[in-house]
Amino acid sequence: MFKLVTLDNKIQILTEHIPYVRSVSVGFFVDTGSRYEVPEINGVSHFIEHMLFKGTRQRTAKDIAEELDAVGGQLNAFTTKEFTCYYARVLDEHFDLALDLLSDMFINSKFDLQDIDRERNVIIEEIKMYEDTPDELVHDIFASSIWSGHALGQPIIGTAEVISSLSREKLIEYYKTHYIPDKLIIAVAGNIDHDVVMKKIYSVFEKSEGTSPARSMIAPVPKRDVICRSKDTEQVHLCVGAPGLRLDHENIYVMQVLNTILGGGLSSRLFQEIREQRGLVYSVY
């Protein structure tokens, strides 16, 4: 059974007690992603995700990298189109350390100019890596085509041109606008006590304040197109798609069953016909 509490400053705290484990997972979910970025700063959410690992007023980047490793824990993050997550997994006895580390990163990151310039190069190399991974790139091309002109069609990681031009001022402005209490959910699951977790989180965030401006949530209009991008690779990656059902549609589970029949596994019709019977592909779904 999970419990959800909203603090006075609008931070939401979600906990689930799992008594039969000795571990705890802590996640800081920030309501920001590429969907909320204008083209001139596309990729800023992902850039900020990187920067929160580059040092705080109390910890160096090396300290952040080593502290949970030293106790056998894990620390990582990821950015999506609609949210950014920072998370840690530790033994239950190290929950305080995980919460302190994530909170320090969230509140006290320095955004040092030298670190920004260094990480800028890292992200540009990451963009090149995706360009060299056509089985992932094809889905970004598809999204940019079917949702052309809408923020949901933008790549999460941004483009090399935009990343090269993002200034420290733009990063901090976006950070201060979106990394605020009413855009934060803290989720904790594992061998924890809800009341203890509440007290510890409250003691860290009780003085945090700020609300974000209203967002314009315009739904994308699907568009028809055929996009071909030539790359010097041994295989062709093909992605075909069309509008489906809303997640809250009454037939959403019917569509999921249909998806499984068509391409959900080794026995699916696409796999059996195109790979097994014809030998034309390695993977299809």
Side-chain angles (χ1 to χ4, degrees), residues 269-280:
R269 295 182 184 182
L270 287 174
F271 192 93
Q272 284 296 312
E273 178 66 23
I274 299 177
R275 172 172 162 154
E276 296 299 290
Q277 297 300 319
R278 305 193 185 193
L280 296 177

Side-chain angles (χ1 to χ4, degrees), residues 89-128:
R89 300 187 183 104
V90 292
L91 292 175
D92 52 14
E93 62 194 84
H94 301 303
F95 167 71
D96 289 0
L97 175 61
L99 177 61
D100 181 64
L101 180 56
L102 288 170
S103 302
D104 190 29
M105 292 166 57
F106 186 88
I107 298 172
N108 299 315
S109 285
K110 293 190 303 181
F111 291 89
D112 182 81
L113 185 58
Q114 288 186 335
D115 291 331
I116 290 173
D117 289 337
R118 187 181 301 113
E119 206 61 26
R120 189 192 315 278
N121 294 329
V122 171
I123 294 172
I124 290 174
E125 289 301 318
E126 189 177 355
I127 292 172
K128 293 177 182 178

Side-chain angles (χ1 to χ4, degrees), residues 13-276:
I13 303 173
L14 187 65
T15 68
E16 182 175 3
H17 178 215
I18 307 175
Y20 50 83
V21 300
R22 284 295 314 276
S23 60
V24 175
S25 293
V26 186
F28 280 39
F29 293 83
V30 189
D31 186 15
T32 185
S34 57
R35 176 175 188 155
Y36 310 112
E37 301 167 355
V38 296
E40 292 76 17
I41 58 170
N42 176 218
V44 66
S45 298
H46 175 258
F47 203 146
I48 290 173
E49 176 215 313
H50 278 234
M51 291 310 304
L52 262 61
F53 287 83
K54 298 306 167 186
T56 70
R57 300 187 192 103
Q58 303 176 44
R59 293 175 168 94
T60 65
K62 188 177 182 182
D63 291 335
I64 292 173
E66 290 180 345
E67 283 198 19
L68 290 193
D69 280 356
V71 296
Q74 295 178 330
L75 177 68
N76 214 329
F78 59 88
T79 304
T80 73
K81 290 183 180 293
E82 298 187 290
F83 69 91
T84 305
C85 175
Y86 304 85
Y87 65 92
R89 300 187 183 104
V90 292
L91 292 175
D92 52 14
E93 62 194 84
H94 301 303
F95 167 71
D96 289 0
L97 175 61
L99 177 61
D100 181 64
L101 180 56
L102 288 170
S103 302
D104 190 29
M105 292 166 57
F106 186 88
I107 298 172
N108 299 315
S109 285
K110 293 190 303 181
F111 291 89
D112 182 81
L113 185 58
Q114 288 186 335
D115 291 331
I116 290 173
D117 289 337
R118 187 181 301 113
E119 206 61 26
R120 189 192 315 278
N121 294 329
V122 171
I123 294 172
I124 290 174
E125 289 301 318
E126 189 177 355
I127 292 172
K128 293 177 182 178
M129 180 184 70
Y130 278 110
E131 288 286 337
D132 288 339
T133 314
D135 56 331
E136 295 186 17
L137 177 63
V138 69
H139 292 283
D140 279 344
I141 296 172
F142 173 77
S144 68
S145 174
I146 196 169
W147 288 333
S148 177
H150 192 279
L152 278 173
Q154 298 181 138
I156 295 169
I157 199 171
T159 64
E161 293 75 18
V162 173
I163 297 302
S164 296
S165 66
L166 278 176
S167 65
R168 181 177 187 270
E169 290 71 27
K170 289 180 180 178
L171 287 172
I172 293 177
E173 179 185 2
Y174 193 89
Y175 168 78
K176 289 183 177 179
T177 302
H178 294 82
Y179 279 65
I180 52 179
D182 70 341
K183 290 289 182 283
L184 175 63
I185 296 175
I186 301 177
V188 184
N191 188 24
I192 47 90
D193 178 87
H194 171 80
D195 293 333
V196 172
V197 170
M198 280 292 302
K199 290 179 181 178
K200 291 179 178 179
I201 294 177
Y202 181 78
S203 67
V204 175
F205 287 96
E206 62 176 319
K207 295 181 180 179
S208 298
E209 56 185 20
T211 55
S212 58
R215 288 168 170 168
S216 176
M217 297 290 285
I218 300 174
V221 178
K223 299 179 180 179
R224 297 182 179 185
D225 206 348
V226 177
I227 304 293
C228 297
R229 183 177 297 185
S230 178
K231 293 184 71 68
D232 185 16
T233 60
E234 296 296 326
Q235 290 184 316
V236 171
H237 297 265
L238 177 66
C239 185
V240 180
L245 301 179
R246 292 169 55 99
L247 287 176
D248 58 357
H249 194 282
E250 62 180 0
N251 288 327
I252 189 66
Y253 298 111
V254 177
M255 191 180 77
Q256 290 176 358
V257 172
L258 177 62
N259 180 70
T260 301
I261 293 171
L262 286 176
L266 302 184
S267 65
S268 67
R269 295 182 184 182
L270 287 174
F271 192 93
Q272 284 296 312
E273 178 66 23
I274 299 177
R275 172 172 162 154
E276 296 299 290

